[in-house]
Amino acid sequence: EDSRQQFKARREVFKKNQQRAKAMTGKKTPIDALPGDLLFFARVTNLMHGLGSRLRVRTPYLSIMAPYAKRALVERYPAPASLVYPSASLSSLEEKVRLMLLEFLSKEQLIGCQ
């Protein structure tokens, strides 16, 4: 019972500090500013990593999740007219990167890049 009351008291202090910080700056805390889906994904990913490490699982869970993430991105965000915009090449490296991007694009392995 005492530990539960102590936890509640600490949580109240934390909430008051958050409210005070928001009132002073007018901004959300960094955690509140993150989209809930992103925060949930990060927590689940960390949980999966921890469980995999603890149980000595050798399956790469991110490679299992990748096709589902790709499908979700493709369904959520329509592809732009062009992913590789033409411009004057500045160097041979830029030309190689541009050709590689076009190759990935033709194989539908490119969702977006910067």
Side-chain angles (χ1 to χ4, degrees):
E1 265 318 295
D2 287 337
S3 61
R4 185 173 288 179
Q5 289 175 346
Q6 289 174 354
F7 175 75
K8 286 182 181 180
R10 281 191 302 235
R11 187 172 61 186
E12 288 301 318
V13 170
F14 178 75
K15 284 182 180 180
K16 286 179 185 177
N17 287 340
Q18 274 190 322
Q19 290 171 349
R20 189 177 318 125
K22 186 176 179 181
M24 290 173 67
T25 63
K27 296 179 180 180
K28 293 181 177 181
T29 62
I31 294 296
D32 291 336
L34 287 174
D37 293 341
L38 180 63
L39 192 57
F40 177 75
F41 176 77
R43 287 180 174 169
V44 168
T45 302
N46 284 334
L47 176 69
M48 295 295 290
H49 179 71
L51 283 172
S53 300
R54 183 76 174 152
L55 298 173
R56 295 188 177 113
V57 175
R58 299 278 185 228
T59 305
Y61 64 94
L62 287 179
S63 64
I64 294 169
M65 293 171 42
Y68 299 102
K70 182 178 177 183
R71 185 173 1 145
L73 286 173
V74 168
E75 288 173 2
R76 175 68 174 96
Y77 300 103
S82 176
L83 291 175
V84 181
Y85 293 98
S87 67
S89 294
L90 301 175
S91 67
S92 61
L93 175 62
E94 184 180 3
E95 188 60 35
K96 289 177 185 177
V97 169
R98 187 177 304 278
L99 290 172
M100 186 184 306
L101 289 173
L102 289 170
E103 180 182 339
F104 286 144
L105 188 58
S106 69
K107 294 178 182 178
E108 295 184 357
Q109 294 178 336
L110 181 67
I111 295 174
C113 65
Q114 258 185 343

